[in-house]
């Protein structure tokens, strides 16, 4: 009597597509030969520990989730400590940043595969499974290697029991492609909720970004959904490392000689395709620095706005950690002007001093002090010719660089920040002399933090008018940058300009 059942799909004998195991249980041949998420080793031969690179990635995730660490600070420190560089460092970076970005999506997948909510899984085990899910669904790691290495990691850091659970969940995840999982976990959801799950953003952020696209004028009601998809996708793409050559301290050519490529957007910018920017001498010496091109552009814009008077005094009201302030200081020196950099705490003031080190040593005049920016307008009224308010914000414009930020902010954070932003802008207006200008900036496109703050300030201050900021945003060749919105404010976007989503409004204080 044959061991093979005679019930092929066409009614014929199914031949070698079926076999019986030792217990008589029937198994399809595909299950017998598949290597997806299945180790070829016997249990006694399997590794008991994970590889060091995955272990570092797991430790950084735990530091981020348990201790509130920032991945962009914790990961380089961990890599240096373990002396990991080159391809292994790049692999660890993709594991950490990719897993953090797509955490929301992976958690929904894991819930389906595990048959329980993500909140019901022990957090250290959940982070291990997230790392495995990222390798299976988003990296060019063979499925069997992704599973076996992650299970070995789980055995090492979570214990034998957790390793078995991890193995079972990863095997379930490996049974479908990413596209199939997207279809599975978005089925039946409302459109914005489905986008939020697919692109791994909290839904409140998706709604805020959609509103900002329409409010800035860059998207119409007919095109907003396409733009929103592109924006969410851009948030999940690793951002290039961008550098700034601080004027009179370094040159773009020096950065290019060190391996960077000259920016087409910022006249002082360069892009580093790979490697450690700290290996570049100009960066080590703070003559150059890592800085998003959008941040460079708004500092350049404020510096180029005409204001009457020689030997001007400029103010960066919220200067920490000092990147924009350092560029402004160099640009102020070109105009025989001086920058005053203010920060609210001694710690952040010290960060500004470190960032300014090369500028200070070169003789560029910069005054650095500590104080609450909300009080400065009352203490020094009608004093400054140009004032930058780079206000504390939700940071929704830098999600591609700070992937954990999307999971730390909530909609409840916006109102108190908007209140603080309005108070800082009021102080900046008071500190500006008649005829002077104020640049209000945020690294967030959220309308409540941008246009609404400016509109409210204009109502409170009839002596202030808003000017069109767009003419001051020019690329490295001197041409007007496109897709800045309807004005008068400027809104940059990751999917349109490949920068952080920086907002900039230009206000002028009149004599009235």
């Amino acid at each position: 009597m044959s061991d093979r059942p005679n019930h092929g799909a066409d009614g014929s004998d199914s031949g070698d597509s079926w076999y019986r195991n030792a217990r008589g249980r029937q198994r399809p041949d595909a299950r017998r030969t598949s290597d997806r998420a299945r180790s070829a080793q016997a249990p006694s031969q399997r590794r008991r520990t994970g590889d060091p690179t995955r272990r570092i990635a797991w430790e950084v995730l735990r530091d981020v989730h348990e201790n509130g660490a920032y991945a962009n600070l914790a990961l380089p420190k961990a890599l240096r400590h373990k002396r990991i560089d080159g391809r292994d460092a790049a692999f660890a970076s993709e594991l950490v940043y990719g897993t953090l970005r797509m955490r929301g999506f992976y958690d929904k997948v894991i819930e389906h595969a595990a048959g329980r909510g993500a909140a019901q899984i022990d957090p250290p085990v959940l982070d291990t499974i997230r790392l495995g899910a990222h390798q299976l669904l988003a990296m060019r790691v063979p499925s069997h290697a992704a599973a076996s290495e992650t299970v070995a990691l789980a055995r090492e850091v979570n214990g034998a029991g957790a390793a078995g659970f991890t193995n079972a969940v990863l095997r379930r995840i490996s049974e479908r492609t990413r596209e199939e999982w997207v279809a599975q976990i978005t089925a039946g959801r409302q459109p914005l909720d489905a986008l939020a799950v697919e692109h791994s953003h909290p839904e409140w952020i998706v709604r805020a970004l959609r509103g900002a696209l329409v409010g800035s004028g860059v998207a119409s009601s007919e095109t907003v959904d396409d733009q929103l998809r592109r924006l969410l996708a851009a948030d999940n793409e690793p951002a290039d490392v961008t550098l700034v050559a601080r004027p009179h301290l370094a040159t773009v050519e020096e950065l290019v000689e060190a391996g960077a490529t000259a920016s087409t957007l910022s006249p002082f910018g360069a892009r580093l395709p790979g490697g450690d920017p700290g290996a570049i001498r100009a960066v080590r010496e703070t003559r150059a620095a890592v800085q998003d091109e959008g941040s460079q552009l708004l500092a350049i814009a404020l510096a180029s706005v005409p204001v009457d008077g020689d030997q001007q005094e400029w103010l960066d009201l919220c200067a920490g950690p000092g990147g924009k302030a350092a560029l402004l200081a160099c640009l102020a020196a070109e105009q025989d002007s001086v920058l005053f950099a203010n920060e609210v705490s001694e710690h952040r003031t010290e960060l500004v001093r470190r960032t300014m080190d090369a500028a200070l040593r070169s003789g560029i005049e910069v005054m650095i002090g500590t104080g609450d920016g909300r009080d400065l307008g009352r203490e020094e009224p009608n004093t400054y010719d140009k004032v930058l308010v780079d206000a504390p914000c939700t940071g929704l414009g830098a999600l591609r660089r700070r992937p954990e930020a999307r999971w730390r902010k909530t909609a409840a954070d916006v109102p108190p920040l908007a209140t603080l932003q309005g108070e800082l802008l009021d102080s900046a207006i008071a500190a500006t002399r008649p005829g002077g200008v104020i640049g209000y900036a945020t690294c967030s496109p959220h309308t409540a933090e941008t246009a609404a703050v400016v509109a409210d300030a204009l109502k409170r201050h009839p002596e202030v008018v808003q000017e069109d900021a767009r003419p001051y945003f020019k690329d490295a060749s001197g041409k007007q940058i496109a897709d800045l919105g309807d004005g008068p404010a400027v809104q940059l976007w990751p999917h349109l300009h490949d920068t952080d989503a920086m907002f900039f409004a230009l206000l002028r204080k009149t004599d009235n």
Side-chain angles (χ1 to χ4, degrees):
M1 182 174 178
S2 172
D3 286 339
R4 298 182 181 122
N6 189 13
H7 52 36
D10 59 356
S12 62
D13 190 317
S14 56
D16 288 338
S17 63
W18 287 85
Y19 77 99
R20 290 182 185 273
N21 65 10
R23 296 182 180 179
R25 187 176 299 168
Q26 295 172 355
R27 288 284 190 264
D29 190 61
R31 291 291 298 273
R32 179 174 56 182
T33 60
S34 174
D35 71 345
R36 289 183 65 82
R38 187 181 295 268
S39 173
Q41 296 173 311
S44 61
Q45 297 174 312
R46 290 172 190 163
R47 289 176 51 178
R48 297 297 174 185
T49 60
D51 74 276
T53 304
R54 287 176 172 86
R55 173 67 184 259
I56 282 180
W58 181 84
E59 290 175 348
V60 172
L61 286 188
R62 295 307 305 140
D63 197 14
V64 168
H65 291 148
E66 188 173 16
N67 303 320
Y70 293 96
N72 66 324
L73 300 178
L75 178 60
K77 181 179 179 180
L79 294 174
R80 286 195 300 270
H81 179 69
K82 297 293 184 179
R83 298 182 179 179
I84 292 178
D85 55 16
R87 294 179 62 182
D88 286 341
F91 183 76
S93 297
E94 172 55 27
L95 275 178
V96 170
Y97 293 127
T99 301
L100 287 172
R101 288 187 187 98
M102 299 307 296
R103 193 187 91 179
F105 173 71
Y106 294 147
D107 282 2
K108 296 299 183 186
V109 172
I110 291 168
E111 288 176 349
H112 275 263
R116 67 182 73 173
Q120 297 176 292
I121 302 174
D122 189 40
V125 177
L126 181 59
D127 273 335
T128 304
I129 299 173
R130 286 166 174 162
L131 285 171
H134 185 59
Q135 294 170 70
L136 286 170
L137 300 178
M139 296 180 70
R140 288 178 292 185
V141 178
S143 296
H144 65 88
S148 63
E149 291 289 351
T150 305
V151 170
L153 174 66
R155 189 176 293 110
E156 178 183 4
V157 300
N158 306 130
F165 174 68
T166 299
N167 185 47
V169 174
L170 293 182
R171 288 170 67 175
R172 289 289 305 278
I173 292 174
S174 73
E175 291 171 359
R176 295 176 181 171
T177 65
R178 184 188 187 281
E179 292 71 23
E180 290 169 339
W181 276 116
V182 169
Q184 172 73 27
I185 64 178
T186 60
R189 296 179 182 269
Q190 294 297 314
L192 286 186
D193 184 26
L195 275 179
V197 171
E198 178 182 355
H199 293 282
S200 196
H201 286 63
E203 187 177 354
W204 77 270
I205 292 180
V206 175
R207 293 185 181 278
L209 294 177
R210 190 181 192 279
L213 286 165
V214 175
S216 69
V218 76
S220 66
S221 58
E222 291 78 18
T223 65
V224 65
D225 290 333
D226 176 62
Q227 292 249 15
L228 180 59
R229 283 184 175 276
R230 292 170 55 198
L231 173 57
L232 296 175
D235 274 351
N236 290 330
E237 289 293 326
D240 288 342
V241 174
T242 53
L243 307 175
V244 60
R246 290 168 176 159
H248 306 294
L249 302 177
T251 64
V252 172
E253 289 73 18
E254 182 179 359
L255 300 180
V256 170
E257 289 175 0
T261 302
S263 169
T264 59
L265 200 60
S266 166
F268 305 116
R271 294 194 168 217
L272 191 65
D276 179 11
I280 298 176
R281 179 178 178 181
V283 174
R284 293 198 306 273
E285 295 175 350
T286 72
R287 295 182 294 109
V290 175
Q291 186 176 30
D292 180 73
E293 288 160 307
S295 295
Q296 298 176 41
L297 288 173
L298 68 85
I300 296 167
L302 181 61
S304 62
V305 177
V307 173
D308 292 337
D310 298 326
Q311 296 181 323
Q312 298 172 3
E313 295 183 343
W314 298 4
L315 170 67
D316 188 340
L317 190 66
C318 313
K324 298 181 187 69
L327 181 53
L328 275 175
C330 294
L331 296 173
E334 288 185 336
Q335 300 182 32
D336 197 24
S337 299
V338 60
L339 177 75
F340 292 76
N342 176 75
E343 249 308 327
V344 69
S345 69
E346 286 290 351
H347 168 68
R348 290 182 65 82
T349 302
E350 181 59 29
L351 292 178
V352 175
R353 288 194 182 97
R354 293 177 188 174
T355 303
M356 293 278 196
D357 182 60
L360 294 170
R361 286 188 288 103
S362 73
I364 291 176
E365 188 176 3
V366 185
M367 307 297 291
I368 304 173
T370 304
D372 192 326
R374 292 171 293 185
D375 299 331
L376 198 145
R378 182 184 67 254
E379 296 168 353
E380 301 182 56
N382 302 316
T383 300
Y384 296 97
D385 300 273
K386 295 183 180 182
V387 179
L388 173 64
V389 185
D390 183 19
C393 66
T394 56
L396 301 188
L399 296 183
R400 60 189 191 144
R401 297 188 188 278
R402 298 169 188 163
E404 69 278 353
R406 70 186 73 181
W407 310 118
R408 291 181 175 172
K409 299 294 184 181
T410 69
D413 294 321
V414 177
L417 279 170
T419 298
L420 173 61
Q421 291 156 358
E423 292 170 348
L424 289 168
L425 185 50
D426 286 343
S427 180
I429 291 170
T432 304
R433 71 164 178 82
V437 294
I438 304 101
Y440 174 75
T442 64
C443 190
S444 169
H446 197 310
T447 305
E449 302 184 85
T450 57
V453 172
V454 173
D456 288 345
L458 291 173
K459 292 176 184 177
R460 293 191 298 270
H461 298 278
E463 76 279 16
V464 173
V465 296
Q466 185 172 5
E467 296 186 353
D468 193 346
R470 292 173 297 175
Y472 303 105
F473 280 74
K474 298 180 180 179
D475 64 20
S477 68
K479 295 181 180 178
Q480 176 76 56
I481 296 174
D483 298 317
L484 296 177
D486 288 340
V490 161
Q491 180 64 66
L492 299 170
W493 295 102
H495 69 296
L496 296 176
H497 307 102
D498 199 15
T499 67
D500 291 346
M502 301 294 304
F503 171 87
F504 182 83
L506 178 62
L507 309 177
R508 191 178 295 269
K509 190 172 182 179
T510 68
D511 294 328
N512 297 329

